[in-house]
Amino acid sequence: MATQGTFYSSSLFLFLFFFGLLSFSAEAALKKYQFDIQVKNVSRLCHAKPIVTVNGMFPGPTIYVREGDRVQVNVTNSAHYNMSIHWHGLKQFRNGWADGPAYITQCPIQAGNSYTYDFNVTGQRGTLWWHAHIFWLRATVHGAIVIMPKQGTPFPFPQPHMEFNILLGEWWNTDVEEEVKKGNKLGLPPRASDAHTINGKPGPLFPCSEKYTYAMEVEQGKTYLLRIINAALNDELFFAIAGHSMTVVEIDAVYTKPFTTQALLVGPGQTTNVLVQANQIPNRYFLAARPFMDAPLTIDNRTATAILQYKGIPNTVIPSLPHLPAPNDTSFALNYTSKLRSLNSANFPAKVPLNVDRHLFYTIGLGMNPCPTCQNGTQLTASLNNITFVMPKIGLLQAHYFNIKRVFRTDFPDRPPTPFNFTGAPLTANLGTSLGTRLSKIAYNSTVELVLQDTNLLTVESHPFHLHGNNFFVVGMGIGNFDPAKDPAKYNLVDPPERNTVGVPTGGWAAIRFRADNPGVWFMHCHLELHTSWGLKMAFVVEDGEGPEQSILPPPKDLPTC
Ligand code: C2O
């Protein structure tokens, strides 16, 4: 059985290898990657179909760097779709040109063209990921980013023997872009995916999966680091390993206070690093992932599996399944989330903004609009503060940097136009959403608190919100309506989790804080692709500061044009 992973070994060979690296690259290195966007026939679940890939791989190649490195990824687009790649969670300090969301920070790379994403990895180490950031193409165009600590800096937890990347995803038997088009015609969501996957493979609970099961080999008594990434389009996922507990040590490339758990909850866009000790009777054990869904919608309990296999155990042994929380287990989800804390050590302090310059309150709404051209006569839609975001025709960052007028407005409201009982009785209509490319302007270096409030417009649902260009601290979270008089007193301002994607609980709220010290245009959106495509997105314009290192860098020469 094939084993993939990265060894940490003190064998003489590896010692010499690392010693060699040490002597030649004490300074930050330049790491170059070539990404060829190409269509390839791939088969899963008894079906073969052409998919868009990077270098013909699904999932795509891992970007492997060290903190402090400069990275250049030359992306050549040989597919028939426009393309852009986002380096999810990398801060891209002053360098939105390399961030990647199509029409937000760049025009897409057109078929036949290429663009080099050129960025520094500064002040971050851990697991992130990259994905296509245009339409639904990230279904097959995604991969891991592993940022090792600086040379000579150990992890703040026991050194693992070896590490594995675990990418959770979704698979459609048909062309996803076609499914989206069909859905839009009807005014409905596209067909749900046909399987969940672990490293691109659904595992034996799905048909024709004999060849399509990922397996990782472990040795008894050793400790392993798993870098778990949720690359699914529309599902928050529970993850567990039969017979083994996991110790969470990092989320979204930020170290956490370690805690041990039987299962994880990972939202789309989020990453979680865990230590796993191979301390059980040598055998084969299933790793499993399946959706968490506590909204009153259809329950999806299709489970992706992979195998944790002790060395020497034959493939004929049938593994046992782990105990995963029930698909609608809200209390597990809330309890798990409440255990996440920043490490907040001397080396890795949690710099939580204690004073807030700018208070923002955004309602998350789903809705239904009349649609004369849709087969149903209506169309599902989504909004923040009742505004459904309209994608511009050129990149917003260019429009901002070159001062091109009439591309966007900067009057995104700081609070909803009409307050209402957000999570009260279901309201069947939306409150009259308007369309617009409206951004919120933020003064350089100001501190921002944003409360994201779910609403019962159409239905409550949990929403993984992702902010580009910045990490934020999740200082508070609750069920029901946010109470500005009482809830702030309960905030954790000492060691709240720092991340780039937060799950706003179903029918609840999340409060995040960040310092706007990264000038540029930064996208913020629900990482459920379905909701993003319905307009559940907006962007911040963080203004330049006065100092020499406080303004947006000039754009690269090969920046694509629209
Ligand atoms: Cu991972 Cu804007 O995305």
Side-chain angles (χ1 to χ4, degrees):
M1 184 121 341
T3 304
Q4 299 168 17
T6 308
F7 271 105
Y8 299 89
S9 166
S10 53
S11 79
L12 183 63
F13 172 77
L14 282 170
F15 175 77
L16 289 174
F17 176 67
F18 280 116
F19 188 77
L21 278 183
L22 248 180
S23 50
F24 291 109
S25 63
E27 292 297 304
L30 170 62
K31 302 266 171 73
K32 290 191 182 194
Y33 285 87
Q34 175 64 38
F35 274 22
D36 285 313
I37 308 294
Q38 48 189 234
V39 173
K40 209 191 159 192
N41 245 346
V42 167
S43 91
R44 294 288 184 278
L45 308 178
C46 333
H47 290 258
K49 67 157 187 177
I51 61 170
V52 183
T53 65
V54 168
N55 302 346
M57 294 162 72
F58 170 66
T62 300
I63 298 278
Y64 197 78
V65 297
R66 260 186 204 289
E67 177 181 350
D69 283 351
R70 176 175 177 186
V71 187
Q72 288 178 341
V73 187
N74 180 257
V75 178
T76 299
N77 187 2
S78 313
H80 51 293
Y81 288 106
N82 283 347
M83 182 55 67
S84 79
I85 306 277
H86 170 49
W87 318 92
H88 181 117
L90 278 173
K91 288 184 193 167
Q92 306 290 9
F93 188 58
R94 302 168 61 209
N95 187 29
W97 311 111
D99 192 39
Y103 302 106
I104 305 296
T105 59
Q106 68 166 97
C107 297
I109 310 165
Q110 287 165 21
N113 290 359
S114 53
Y115 176 49
T116 299
Y117 291 88
D118 187 343
F119 50 87
N120 294 316
V121 179
T122 312
Q124 293 181 279
R125 75 299 300 163
T127 308
L128 294 171
W129 63 301
W130 56 267
H131 61 80
H133 209 307
I134 181 164
F135 314 122
W136 287 45
L137 290 169
R138 71 179 177 88
T140 57
V141 179
H142 61 252
I145 301 177
V146 173
I147 310 167
M148 292 301 287
K150 282 193 174 142
Q151 198 67 251
T153 309
F155 294 124
F157 46 79
Q159 189 82 356
H161 170 62
M162 193 178 168
E163 60 173 63
F164 295 93
N165 298 336
I166 305 283
L167 283 104
L168 312 176
E170 287 180 87
W171 172 264
W172 275 261
N173 282 333
T174 48
D175 186 315
V176 188
E177 293 302 320
E178 290 305 316
E179 296 296 344
V180 174
K181 278 187 209 148
K182 269 193 236 164
N184 288 345
K185 264 195 203 134
L186 293 169
L188 292 173
R191 201 169 66 76
S193 60
D194 293 294
H196 290 103
T197 56
I198 297 179
N199 287 343
K201 297 170 179 178
L205 301 187
F206 289 93
C208 295
S209 281
E210 298 78 29
K211 296 181 286 193
Y212 304 126
T213 302
Y214 173 77
M216 48 183 276
E217 193 181 70
V218 298
E219 274 177 67
Q220 208 201 15
K222 303 243 151 102
T223 300
Y224 296 84
L225 179 68
L226 269 54
R227 300 175 179 271
I228 300 155
I229 298 165
N230 185 343
L233 279 91
N234 294 309
D235 287 311
E236 297 185 89
L237 295 164
F238 287 127
F239 176 87
I241 309 173
H244 294 73
S245 56
M246 296 171 279
T247 303
V248 176
V249 291
E250 182 213 300
I251 51 171
D252 295 8
V254 182
Y255 295 131
T256 57
K257 292 203 166 72
F259 69 95
T260 298
T261 180
Q262 298 307 316
L264 309 177
L265 174 61
V266 194
Q270 296 181 331
T271 65
T272 304
N273 280 13
V274 298
L275 291 174
V276 176
Q277 277 180 296
N279 57 4
Q280 297 301 304
I281 301 163
N283 208 331
R284 297 171 89 219
Y285 298 88
F286 270 131
L287 318 166
R290 86 171 164 210
F292 162 53
M293 173 59 99
D294 65 350
L297 301 167
T298 5
I299 294 286
D300 170 359
N301 57 11
R302 293 164 309 150
T303 308
T305 50
I307 298 170
L308 176 92
Q309 177 150 3
Y310 281 67
K311 213 175 183 163
I313 299 297
N315 291 349
T316 44
V317 176
I318 299 189
S320 54
L321 275 169
H323 177 75
L324 283 164
N328 59 358
D329 194 341
T330 308
S331 59
F332 177 90
L334 293 174
N335 182 38
Y336 173 80
T337 309
S338 73
K339 286 185 199 149
L340 299 169
R341 296 260 189 284
S342 284
L343 182 59
N344 193 27
S345 63
N347 288 337
F348 304 100
K351 294 185 188 147
V352 190
L354 298 180
N355 299 307
V356 173
D357 299 320
R358 184 83 179 270
H359 283 273
L360 306 174
F361 186 92
Y362 293 178
T363 52
I364 302 166
L366 300 180
M368 212 186 285
N369 280 341
C371 172
T373 58
C374 299
Q375 226 154 299
N376 279 12
T378 56
Q379 179 181 35
L380 291 164
T381 185
S383 63
L384 281 167
N385 279 353
N386 288 10
I387 298 160
T388 299
F389 190 85
V390 175
M391 290 302 261
K393 299 275 176 294
I394 68 163
L396 295 175
L397 183 59
Q398 287 91 320
H400 169 60
Y401 187 84
F402 294 108
N403 209 3
I404 304 168
K405 301 284 179 219
R406 282 184 290 280
V407 177
F408 63 85
R409 290 162 37 181
T410 53
D411 59 352
F412 191 91
D414 284 4
R415 47 197 62 79
T418 342
F420 59 102
N421 180 4
F422 307 117
T423 54
L427 301 156
T428 43
N430 58 59
L431 294 178
T433 52
S434 61
L435 300 173
T437 309
R438 293 165 69 176
L439 278 60
S440 180
K441 199 180 232 180
I442 308 283
Y444 177 77
N445 212 28
S446 56
T447 52
V448 180
E449 177 177 303
L450 166 61
V451 176
L452 288 158
Q453 171 73 61
D454 189 26
T455 70
N456 205 358
L457 293 172
L458 204 62
T459 175
V460 288
E461 191 170 346
S462 105
H463 299 273
F465 260 84
H466 172 48
L467 174 62
H468 287 229
N470 303 268
N471 278 355
F472 49 74
F473 292 93
V474 186
V475 294
M477 198 175 267
I479 299 297
N481 296 344
F482 173 72
D483 181 345
K486 292 206 190 101
D487 287 323
K490 293 179 240 158
Y491 283 172
N492 175 1
L493 299 175
V494 178
D495 60 357
E498 178 185 343
R499 50 192 337 172
N500 62 56
T501 306
V502 61
V504 179
T506 303
W509 56 271
I512 64 172
R513 284 192 184 180
F514 63 97
R515 178 175 290 279
D517 57 1
N518 191 5
V521 174
W522 304 113
F523 206 14
M524 188 183 74
H525 58 92
C526 178
H527 219 284
L528 302 177
E529 204 52 42
L530 185 61
H531 294 171
T532 316
S533 52
W534 288 346
L536 201 47
K537 51 194 170 187
M538 56 81 68
F540 292 104
V541 193
V542 177
E543 292 175 293
D544 284 348
E546 306 278 297
E549 308 248 292
Q550 300 177 348
S551 52
I552 300 174
L553 293 166
K557 298 227 161 39
D558 59 343
L559 187 72
T561 49
C562 285

